[in-house]
Amino acid sequence: EIVLTQSPGTLSLSPGERATLSCRTSQSVDSSYLAWYLQKPGQAPRLLIYGASTRATGIPDRFSGSGSGTDFTLTISRLEPEDFAVYYCQQYGRSFYTFGPGTKLEIK
Amino acid sequence: EVQLVESGGGLVQPGGSLRLSCEASGFIFSNYAMSWVRLAPGKGLEWVSGISAGGTTPIFADSVKGRFTISRDNSKSTVYLQMNSLRDEDTATYYCAKRITATGRSFDYWGQGTLVTVSS
């Protein structure tokens, strides 16, 4: 089973700053199967990035994804107030989907 | 507009059973694989189970294998999750999610979730 590790666990930043979130997998994964989601309390998750770097429909261009192999990154270029939430990476392999433990992005 | 509406959650005793439903609209349901994902209190997202567009290929997380089954009725645009032998650790909000494409492996639409509480 592929294990996903996200860092940091919590990231404290101010609106307007740049956020860099990391997702590492325990073994190399197909980047076409790597996705990022955002979830706010009481709401359903929302797809941000799929295929490691493709923004989902309606996602603003301040969100970008990159990476390959075992190291993937979600970057938010300039934080808006609505971006503070929990972020999850997710991968698919060998008939299993796996989510990372999440990074909580909080307002400093 | 794509909509996924879950129902069937509630309070159940350990060892009990519950069936969740997710009714879809706004897309050709029979063309897309579907999954169930849960969020336990204080925990992160956990994928639970998935089923192919035609309903022939179910897959399960190890934590629920042998206890949960998944099925779908394409004539009703509905996917189901039958949960048996429920445990305290199955307490969570359960979301159904639509796979983005036939070949993709991410989820582009999610329901609002239904809460399952397993407690005596």
Side-chain angles (χ1 to χ4, degrees):
Chain A
E1 179 185 342
I2 298 175
V3 177
L4 277 61
T5 303
Q6 292 186 242
S7 61
T10 302
L11 184 57
S12 300
L13 294 171
S14 301
E17 291 192 291
R18 180 184 185 92
T20 303
L21 287 67
S22 172
C23 176
R24 289 191 170 149
T25 60
S26 58
Q27 51 188 283
S28 184
V29 301
D30 186 337
S31 60
S32 64
Y33 294 159
L34 195 288
W36 291 90
Y37 301 83
L38 164 161
Q39 187 173 30
K40 298 180 181 180
Q43 296 186 17
R46 182 183 182 190
L47 178 65
L48 298 172
I49 300 286
Y50 63 94
S53 62
T54 302
R55 277 188 300 277
T57 302
I59 301 303
D61 61 7
R62 65 178 182 274
F63 290 90
S64 62
S66 63
S68 64
T70 60
D71 289 325
F72 299 88
T73 301
L74 175 70
T75 302
I76 311 170
S77 59
R78 293 175 312 280
L79 286 166
E80 297 287 342
E82 61 268 26
D83 298 338
F84 293 92
V86 179
Y87 290 79
Y88 296 95
C89 57
Q90 171 249 313
Q91 73 87 36
Y92 171 85
R94 300 180 184 177
S95 296
F96 286 102
Y97 293 83
T98 310
F99 287 89
T103 289
K104 182 180 181 180
L105 178 56
E106 63 178 25
I107 298 177
K108 186 174 182 180
Chain B
E1 178 191 5
V2 171
Q3 284 198 313
L4 300 171
V5 180
E6 302 98 335
S7 60
L11 175 63
V12 61
Q13 293 187 336
S17 298
L18 215 52
R19 188 176 88 152
L20 307 183
S21 301
C22 170
E23 184 173 359
S25 60
F27 65 102
I28 302 173
F29 181 75
S30 58
N31 286 355
Y32 293 90
M34 300 292 293
S35 274
W36 288 92
V37 178
R38 67 186 180 185
L39 181 67
K43 301 284 185 68
L45 295 172
E46 179 188 17
W47 172 79
V48 173
S49 180
I51 189 166
S52 59
T56 56
T57 311
I59 48 177
F60 300 93
D62 287 345
S63 58
V64 306
K65 198 173 293 183
R67 300 188 298 123
F68 290 12
T69 58
I70 189 171
S71 60
R72 63 190 293 161
D73 185 340
N74 285 345
S75 69
K76 296 182 178 179
S77 297
T78 301
V79 59
Y80 305 96
L81 185 69
Q82 177 67 44
M83 304 185 296
N84 299 328
S85 303
L86 283 162
R87 305 168 180 168
D88 290 352
E89 56 263 34
D90 295 318
T91 294
T93 297
Y94 286 73
Y95 299 96
C96 70
K98 168 188 167 290
R99 208 167 79 183
I100 188 169
T101 63
T103 55
R105 293 296 188 271
S106 56
F107 307 110
D108 59 347
Y109 286 94
W110 298 65
Q112 282 304 301
T114 187
L115 177 62
V116 172
T117 303
V118 184
S119 174
S120 54

